[in-house]
Amino acid sequence: MGRTPPHPDPSQFDLQRVLEALVDPVRRSIVTQLDASGEDVACGGFDLPVSKSTATHHFTVLREAGLIRQYYVGTSRMNALRRAELDDVFPGLLDALVRAGRAVPDEART
Amino acid sequence: MGRTPPHPDPSQFDLQRVLEALVDPVRRSIVTQLDASGEDVACGGFDLPVSKSTATHHFTVLREAGLIRQYYVGTSRMNALRRAELDDVFPGLLDALVRAGRAVPDEART
């Protein structure tokens, strides 16, 4: 509590910034993993192919774009998907991207 | 006819490539204008804030990502949104992005 980093208000959500955040595959993976977990996840709880400091940068970009909310529980920095607020400003975008991330090309289908 | 540039098959559609195409606001504007027109549009028929040669580059990136289909009618290069194929591979993504491009922040709403 207390040490909450700044977050944009939904009125400040910007599609350009959201897409710049989500064009990075590591950041998209963070969002997809958060969505799949269905609950808030500590920074250390993600499976990411980057160093801890690089991951921290990616979390910051996602937070500043409004995609995640970060807060502390003790010394753990927790991450929450801002799903309701994102769905309100950009209806269907998060779902479509998460689904697209799981999409399998035609030829790989039966 | 004849001079049709190469296009990826839907089985080759790649989310990373699609997002890299759509993260650029000029390219997003091309897609949004195509969607709004409801018909195929010649390269010269778009309202874009860039030079003709820069626009040509953007059309190529969109074509190579699978977002548009290009073909010639006489000397005019026409552009068609590959909506059905995109909707099949990435359900809802195009609609969500087009809608998001029109999204108005909360504070600007009544």
Side-chain angles (χ1 to χ4, degrees), chain A residues 75-98:
Chain A
T75 56
S76 290
R77 186 175 271 209
M78 301 296 297
N79 301 277
L81 199 54
R82 297 180 69 178
R83 171 173 279 289
E85 294 157 299
L86 287 161
D87 285 349
D88 186 48
V89 179
F90 305 123
L93 183 60
L94 197 60
D95 275 332
L97 280 166
V98 167

Side-chain angles (χ1 to χ4, degrees), chain B residues 60-101:
Chain B
T60 301
V61 172
L62 287 171
R63 173 172 52 75
E64 291 178 346
L67 287 156
I68 62 171
R69 186 172 291 281
Q70 295 193 295
Y71 60 95
Y72 279 92
V73 173
T75 56
S76 289
R77 186 176 270 209
M78 300 297 297
N79 301 277
L81 199 53
R82 297 181 69 177
R83 171 173 281 288
E85 293 157 298
L86 286 161
D87 285 348
D88 185 48
V89 179
F90 305 122
L93 184 60
L94 197 60
D95 276 332
L97 279 166
V98 167
R99 215 180 312 143

Side-chain angles (χ1 to χ4, degrees), chain A residues 9-105:
Chain A
D9 185 81
S11 67
Q12 299 169 304
F13 285 3
D14 176 65
L15 179 61
Q16 184 61 37
R17 195 154 195 183
V18 166
L19 289 178
E20 284 169 9
L22 292 175
V23 77
D24 183 279
V26 173
R27 294 197 286 268
R28 223 155 53 239
S29 175
I30 291 172
V31 167
T32 306
Q33 289 181 52
L34 259 183
D35 180 75
S37 86
E39 56 186 22
D40 301 354
V41 178
C43 286
F46 291 84
D47 180 21
L48 300 173
V50 295
S51 70
K52 191 177 163 184
S53 68
T54 300
T56 298
H57 163 72
H58 287 312
F59 285 113
T60 301
V61 172
L62 288 170
R63 174 171 53 75
E64 290 178 347
L67 287 156
I68 62 172
R69 186 171 291 283
Q70 294 193 296
Y71 60 95
Y72 279 93
V73 173
T75 56
S76 290
R77 186 175 271 209
M78 301 296 297
N79 301 277
L81 199 54
R82 297 180 69 178
R83 171 173 279 289
E85 294 157 299
L86 287 161
D87 285 349
D88 186 48
V89 179
F90 305 123
L93 183 60
L94 197 60
D95 275 332
L97 280 166
V98 167
R99 216 180 310 141
R102 293 191 303 250
V104 177

